[in-house]
Amino acid sequence: DIQMTQSPTSLSAAVGDRVTITCRASQSIGNYLNWYQQKVGEAPKLLIYGASTLQNGVPSRFSGSGSGTDFTLTINSLQPEDLATYYCQQSYISWTFGQGTKVEIK
Amino acid sequence: QVQLVQSGAEVKRPGASVKVSCKASGYTFTNYYMHWVRQAPGQGLEWMGRFNPNTGGTNSAQKFQGRFTMPTDTSITTAYMELINLTPDDTAVYFCAREDADNYVATLDYWGQGTPVTVSA
């Protein structure tokens, strides 16, 4: 099984800050990497697919990069509504989620 | 518009089984895989498996094999998740989610609202 490891587990940042979340795969997955946002009490929402392509309707302050084993989700100019847990997910072999990164607003 | 509407909360005893439904609308049901993902209280997302409504084919995570099935009734565009021999560790919110394979990378683009399942003596 492919393991997905995110860091940090949680972070606290101020409105307007730039936030970076990393995701590492236990083996190369090309760009078969998606990012989801989950707010408390809600279902996850697709943000980015193929490591770097923004899903329709997602604000442009979100961006993704990486390939192979190392990936990054960046939120430029953090907004109050970005309070959520973010998950990476691979679909290269079967499907696996990272353990999540909780983003809090200072 | 695409909608996935799940059945309501369930409370079960250890050793029992549970069947959760996911009613799909707004798209051609047989054209898209349906996935099941669960989330234990305060924990992350755990992929359970997926079902192809067109072929009947399934893939599931090894830890659930033998205990987890995904029956589907295409006539009423409804997918089901059935889990047997429940233990308290199966207490979680269970989500159905549609797989979109139209892009070069498959994604889960629409999700049900989630069904809480509590397993307790």
Side-chain angles (χ1 to χ4, degrees):
Chain A
D1 290 2
I2 298 178
Q3 308 301 319
M4 306 299 292
T5 304
Q6 291 181 229
S7 61
T9 303
S10 65
L11 65 89
S12 180
V15 171
D17 282 354
R18 183 180 190 182
V19 168
T20 299
I21 298 168
T22 64
C23 176
R24 174 164 289 178
S26 59
Q27 67 181 76
S28 178
I29 58 170
N31 65 347
Y32 286 76
L33 189 283
N34 305 318
W35 290 97
Y36 298 83
Q37 174 193 64
Q38 186 182 31
K39 297 183 178 180
V40 173
E42 297 184 3
K45 170 189 170 184
L46 176 66
L47 289 180
I48 288 170
Y49 62 90
S52 61
T53 302
L54 214 59
Q55 173 72 343
N56 288 341
V58 174
S60 59
R61 63 180 180 274
F62 290 93
S63 64
S65 65
S67 67
T69 60
D70 294 304
F71 303 86
T72 299
L73 172 68
T74 300
I75 310 173
N76 282 301
S77 189
L78 187 71
Q79 298 300 302
E81 60 267 31
D82 300 334
L83 168 70
T85 300
Y86 295 84
Y87 294 91
C88 62
Q89 170 256 311
Q90 68 82 22
S91 58
Y92 183 70
I93 297 176
S94 190
W95 294 63
T96 318
F97 289 91
Q99 81 277 20
T101 296
K102 186 175 183 179
V103 173
E104 298 176 322
I105 311 295
K106 278 183 187 174
Chain B
Q1 73 283 20
V2 174
Q3 281 193 306
L4 301 176
V5 179
Q6 298 184 223
S7 50
E10 301 267 9
V11 179
K12 296 292 182 181
R13 300 291 189 200
S17 61
V18 68
K19 191 174 184 179
V20 174
S21 67
C22 173
K23 168 70 176 176
S25 61
Y27 71 97
T28 303
F29 182 69
T30 51
N31 284 359
Y32 294 83
Y33 279 89
M34 188 70 77
H35 291 239
W36 290 92
V37 175
R38 76 178 187 179
Q39 186 169 38
Q43 303 301 306
L45 302 171
E46 181 175 31
W47 183 77
M48 299 180 69
R50 69 174 186 169
F51 179 83
N52 183 336
N54 187 42
T55 66
T58 62
N59 307 99
S60 60
Q62 191 165 9
K63 70 176 286 187
F64 297 108
Q65 289 177 9
R67 205 163 68 88
F68 165 61
T69 58
M70 295 171 278
T72 299
D73 190 337
T74 56
S75 69
I76 56 171
T77 65
T78 299
Y80 300 89
M81 183 284 299
E82 187 162 25
L83 194 59
I84 65 173
N85 295 331
L86 293 168
T87 74
D89 288 343
D90 293 315
T91 294
V93 176
Y94 289 76
F95 294 99
C96 61
R98 188 187 81 159
E99 177 183 327
D100 178 12
D102 292 342
N103 298 308
Y104 56 93
V105 175
T107 63
L108 301 176
D109 64 344
Y110 287 92
W111 294 66
Q113 81 276 20
T115 297
V117 174
T118 302
V119 183
S120 174

